[in-house]
Amino acid sequence: MDNTVNVALAFYSEAYESSIHSYTLPEEQLIYTALPAEALAKCKEKRDRTPVLILTENKVAGFFVLDAGEAVKEYTESSGALLIRSYSIHPDYQGKGVGKKSLKLLPSFINHHFPTKNEVVLGVNYKNTAAQQLYKRSGFIDTGRHIFGSQGKQFVYEMDIKKA
């Protein structure tokens, strides 16, 4: 991992709109996640979804959504949880430690901006072993629970952000 890569999390701003609309992913990754432009459109429809940018040197290196809505209940019974949706790292930044660093920043980001939340959850497809490894190396644990998404079975992972 390149420890010189500077990574920051920031709420989406329209200053990054062109970067979001030109952001692409390989087809083999698109079966597991949405493109940022698609996820951003859903955030505009559903106010309980917050788009977050992963920045490296002020450039968009990744994207995800923090969902505080009803969908969280599919993953956990905790009322203090946020759901990560549409997590991706732009292909130009994959394999450089950006994903791991962004997830390591997540607890402090949530503690600062969502102080009433104490947990973050996500679903990861059982075939998506690369994402499973990234999430586990970054402090998520497999809850042993499963849900079924559009691409089949998903493992439910969680992170206690007050202890991370």
Side-chain angles (χ1 to χ4, degrees):
M1 177 170 63
D2 181 0
N3 288 321
T4 62
V5 176
N6 186 21
V7 176
L9 301 180
F11 291 121
Y12 170 77
S13 111
E14 289 185 3
Y16 293 96
E17 189 167 4
S18 65
S19 295
I20 290 299
H21 288 285
S22 64
Y23 189 118
T24 60
L25 290 168
E27 268 187 57
E28 64 270 15
Q29 292 175 16
L30 282 173
I31 61 174
Y32 301 123
T33 192
L35 284 171
E38 297 165 8
L40 190 58
K42 287 186 180 176
C43 289
K44 290 177 181 174
E45 295 169 16
K46 300 187 179 207
R47 293 293 174 192
D48 46 15
R49 295 185 184 188
T50 304
V52 180
L53 301 171
I54 301 167
L55 301 173
T56 300
E57 308 303 332
N58 214 27
K59 291 186 171 75
V60 176
F63 179 89
F64 62 94
V65 172
L66 291 172
D67 186 342
E70 289 296 309
V72 176
K73 293 177 183 172
E74 292 178 52
Y75 297 81
T76 182
E77 294 177 6
S78 171
S79 61
L82 288 170
L83 169 64
I84 293 181
R85 293 181 170 277
S86 306
Y87 181 90
S88 68
I89 300 298
H90 188 282
D92 291 350
Y93 297 94
Q94 291 178 11
K96 298 180 178 176
V98 172
K100 187 172 182 185
K101 284 186 178 185
S102 71
L103 293 170
K104 290 289 187 186
L105 291 171
L106 194 58
S108 61
F109 184 82
I110 292 173
N111 283 327
H112 180 75
H113 296 289
F114 302 90
T116 63
K117 301 299 181 182
N118 59 15
E119 178 181 63
V120 63
V121 295
L122 58 86
V124 59
N125 191 284
Y126 78 103
K127 292 181 184 175
N128 192 351
T129 55
Q132 291 169 32
Q133 291 172 3
L134 170 65
Y135 294 132
K136 285 179 180 177
R137 283 194 317 261
S138 302
F140 282 86
I141 59 164
D142 185 343
T143 65
R145 296 187 306 271
H146 304 106
I147 62 166
F148 288 86
S150 62
Q151 296 300 318
K153 183 177 175 179
Q154 294 186 4
F155 300 117
V156 175
Y157 286 11
E158 67 185 14
M159 177 193 292
D160 181 334
I161 58 164
K162 300 297 183 192
K163 292 181 182 174

